[in-house]
Amino acid sequence: MPSSVTALGQARSSGPGMAPSACCCSPAALQRRLPILAWLPSYSLQWLKMDFVAGLSVGLTAIPQALAYAEVAGLPPQYGLYSAFMGCFVYFFLGTSRDVTLGPTAIMSLLVSFYTFHEPAYAVLLAFLSGCIQLAMGVLRLGFLLDFISYPVIKGFTSAAAVTIGFGQIKNLLGLQNIPRPFFLQVYHTFLRIAETRVGDAVLGLVCMLLLLVLKLMRDHVPPVHPEMPPGVRLSRGLVWAATTARNALVVSFAALVAYSFEVTGYQPFILTGETAEGLPPVRIPPFSVTTANGTISFTEMVQDMGAGLAVVPLMGLLESIAVAKAFASQNNYRIDANQELLAIGLTNMLGSLVSSYPVTGSFGRTAVNAQSGVCTPAGGLVTGVLVLLSLDYLTSLFYYIPKSALAAVIIMAVAPLFDTKIFRTLWRVKMSPPRCLVLECTHVCSIDYTVVLGLGELLQDFQKQGVALAFVGLQVPVLRVLLSADLKGFQYFSTLEEAEKHLRQEPGTQPYNIREDSILDQKVALLKA
């Protein structure tokens, strides 16, 4: 809604560029730290209606995804739900995007699986420490550092993660058991034991994937509902919209109903999720030590065991969340405060560790559902959080009958869009076809010394080995005099860029244009006389 966008934008208009002399307790500063104060005074009944619908839609998506992502993280299913509600409440107060939803994601679950050894205690402690690091970065206003992570690196990581996560669910989709978790061993043993595929799991999993795909396509092609439509048309389109938006919940419920029907007959062709701990998680401090059969693992040893995860997990959490927030802020024409987002996600992970959450971040899929549902403010997250808590309190006994193949279908369909084929085509065009020539525009270079001359000489040699021509344009007389005196091999220069382009644009296979030696000698003499 335009008014909510304005309210959220006004709260951040004095963010990073605010004058140092501004009082930390001024209304503008308070709104910057508590963005809720910007939009809550103008909250309306219409916003409430839209936020409720959006929060309900996201909740119906979050619950089955949370159960599925716990499997990716190598944790019991309830830990996915434990991780799915704290971000909803924290972001209500601190978030600067009306669209973003915080919770477990596929990539974060994969990292948790790798760095916490499928041990809940390690996962919870990692959430606490990640939150501390993220919160400190927010307080120190280090959000700008994320801009220095290159786009190809991000795309490469997310595409690789999509492949790893997606293939990791093939075993559940086919009903294969006792498959090792390391990726290459997974690939080997999955193909080695493909003959052990359980027909029931495979059929149900493929049917679930097909249903999810059909419902997604329907969701993408259903025209939006307009008030001027006839009531019957509005109702039918509204029902289609609701069904396609909550497709994960519908498909998982369908699979659970099928599994329960077989259970009643005394025959079960599917591998089920099994027991899920009932009730809300207890509130307690994170485990700073773990007692095992071999003794007690101290806090220091736990930190050493997690190693690089203490840097990778919080950084990827921030990167994923802020990338999602910026994408939807740009799409919906409002601004976010990256440093405030750091505070929000850091506090979410810190407080989440008190209720046994593992590290969370912004979810692109659920944020897209939130935006498409017409959310107006972060208040939609309250509905999502309450729905997750209600499912923990009242529905955990029903989760027993959810087939693992259905959850595998949910995960595969969720991570498939992360694999970006376009970036690989673009990178191939950019990097397998190397440039034939390079032009350095030197108009603003007024002087150089011997060190620069040596560096340019080495650069020219490197380029010649690669078959690339290097040309200089717009050299000032003192600079040109020094370079000509150095007698650099392969040195060529032009007065204007147009002249350089004219001579360097040659047919493939021909040698780049080189200035004649006698011409260079004549110019050397003229410059040395000047």
Side-chain angles (χ1 to χ4, degrees):
M1 295 296 172
S3 52
S4 66
V5 172
T6 302
L8 286 172
Q10 287 174 346
R12 292 177 293 280
S13 61
S14 60
M18 187 177 181
S21 59
C23 176
C24 63
C25 296
S26 66
L30 200 57
Q31 282 188 357
R32 193 171 72 250
R33 289 299 177 222
L34 284 175
I36 184 177
L37 299 177
W39 55 263
L40 189 60
S42 57
Y43 200 76
S44 66
L45 188 62
Q46 177 65 19
W47 288 7
L48 177 62
K49 175 186 173 183
M50 299 298 292
D51 286 345
F52 179 82
V53 172
L56 189 63
S57 302
V58 174
L60 293 175
T61 303
I63 292 171
Q65 282 192 345
L67 294 170
Y69 290 151
E71 161 69 23
V72 176
L75 301 173
Q78 66 268 20
Y79 281 88
L81 295 173
Y82 293 166
S83 307
F85 64 86
M86 183 58 74
C88 300
F89 300 121
V90 172
Y91 205 79
F92 170 72
F93 294 98
L94 301 180
T96 62
S97 167
R98 70 168 189 256
D99 299 305
V100 167
T101 62
L102 300 181
T105 66
I107 291 179
M108 192 55 58
S109 300
L110 177 67
L111 293 176
V112 168
S113 171
F114 184 77
Y115 288 111
T116 64
F117 326 109
H118 315 143
E119 288 290 339
Y122 277 85
V124 174
L125 180 60
L126 181 57
F128 175 77
L129 296 177
S130 296
C132 292
I133 294 171
Q134 292 162 339
L135 196 61
M137 290 182 68
V139 171
L140 296 174
R141 305 186 68 78
L142 299 179
F144 70 93
L145 293 177
L146 300 178
D147 295 332
F148 293 96
I149 301 178
S150 69
Y151 181 77
V153 169
I154 297 171
K155 281 297 184 180
F157 176 83
T158 54
S159 296
V163 172
T164 303
I165 295 168
F167 195 89
Q169 293 305 307
I170 297 296
K171 63 180 185 297
N172 291 330
L173 194 73
L174 302 180
L176 302 178
Q177 296 179 299
N178 301 319
I179 300 293
R181 282 188 173 269
F183 178 72
F184 291 108
L185 289 178
Q186 271 191 5
V187 174
Y188 174 75
H189 284 276
T190 298
F191 285 108
L192 182 68
R193 300 168 56 183
I194 197 74
E196 301 175 19
T197 298
R198 294 168 58 100
V199 176
D201 285 299
V203 171
L204 181 63
L206 293 174
V207 168
C208 289
M209 287 183 64
L210 182 61
L211 288 174
L212 288 169
L213 179 61
V214 170
L215 290 172
K216 183 181 185 301
L217 293 175
M218 288 177 63
R219 177 69 179 84
D220 294 340
H221 291 87
V222 171
V225 178
H226 298 292
E228 61 271 13
M229 290 179 176
V233 176
R234 277 190 296 170
L235 177 62
S236 61
R237 288 191 178 178
L239 290 174
V240 172
W241 176 85
T244 54
T245 300
R247 58 185 177 274
N248 286 330
L250 285 179
V251 169
V252 168
S253 300
F254 159 75
L257 184 61
V258 171
Y260 179 76
S261 301
F262 278 102
E263 187 80 8
V264 172
T265 64
Y267 171 70
Q268 186 55 263
F270 313 121
I271 298 176
L272 304 181
T273 297
E275 295 290 342
T276 301
E278 296 185 10
L280 302 178
V283 179
R284 57 191 175 194
I285 62 172
F288 292 102
S289 62
V290 177
T291 302
T292 66
N294 298 323
T296 300
I297 303 176
S298 67
F299 171 74
T300 303
E301 292 172 322
M302 293 177 73
V303 170
Q304 291 174 344
D305 290 341
M306 289 185 284
L310 293 174
V312 175
V313 170
L315 183 61
M316 284 307 303
L318 294 176
L319 187 63
E320 189 173 0
S321 185
I322 292 180
V324 170
K326 285 186 175 180
F328 282 88
S330 175
Q331 175 182 312
N332 296 321
N333 196 29
Y334 63 88
R335 295 172 55 204
I336 66 159
D337 183 343
N339 294 304
Q340 182 65 22
E341 291 293 304
L342 299 187
L343 296 176
I345 190 173
L347 194 60
T348 293
N349 280 318
M350 284 185 65
L351 296 180
S353 67
L354 301 180
V355 289
S356 302
S357 165
Y358 66 81
V360 301
T361 184
S363 164
F364 190 89
R366 294 193 296 276
T367 298
V369 171
N370 209 22
Q372 293 165 1
S373 302
V375 69
C376 296
T377 71
L382 294 182
V383 181
T384 302
V386 169
L387 201 60
V388 173
L389 291 175
L390 289 175
S391 70
L392 274 169
D393 219 12
Y394 299 105
L395 299 179
T396 46
S397 59
L398 302 179
F399 296 155
Y400 178 93
Y401 298 102
I402 298 177
K404 286 192 172 183
S405 59
L407 295 179
V410 170
I411 294 173
I412 292 172
M413 295 305 293
V415 301
L418 296 178
F419 188 83
D420 190 351
T421 56
K422 295 180 181 178
I423 186 66
F424 292 102
R425 291 199 299 267
T426 303
L427 288 175
W428 178 266
R429 289 197 302 267
V430 171
K431 293 296 184 182
M432 295 308 119
S433 55
R436 295 178 54 246
C437 58
L438 179 68
V439 177
L440 291 180
E441 211 287 331
C442 306
T443 304
H444 300 289
V445 179
C446 58
S447 65
I448 59 174
D449 59 13
Y450 183 67
T451 302
V452 175
V453 172
L454 290 178
L456 289 175
E458 294 175 358
L459 186 64
L460 283 166
Q461 291 179 6
D462 291 340
F463 274 48
Q464 286 177 345
K465 291 177 182 178
Q466 300 295 327
V468 179
L470 177 61
F472 298 80
V473 168
L475 290 169
Q476 296 186 22
V477 172
V479 177
L480 181 57
R481 181 186 293 118
V482 172
L483 291 176
L484 290 173
S485 301
D487 199 21
L488 298 176
K489 184 179 180 181
F491 172 69
Q492 50 185 332
Y493 67 94
F494 302 90
S495 301
T496 64
L497 184 60
E498 290 75 15
E499 182 184 353
E501 288 179 344
K502 177 182 176 181
H503 290 283
L504 293 175
R505 288 183 182 277
Q506 301 181 34
E507 294 297 325
T510 60
Q511 292 297 319
Y513 173 80
N514 288 293
I515 295 179
R516 290 170 45 193
E517 291 296 327
D518 54 351
S519 175
I520 292 180
L521 182 60
D522 293 342
Q523 294 176 55
K524 279 186 183 180
V525 173
L527 284 168
L528 290 173
K529 287 180 178 178

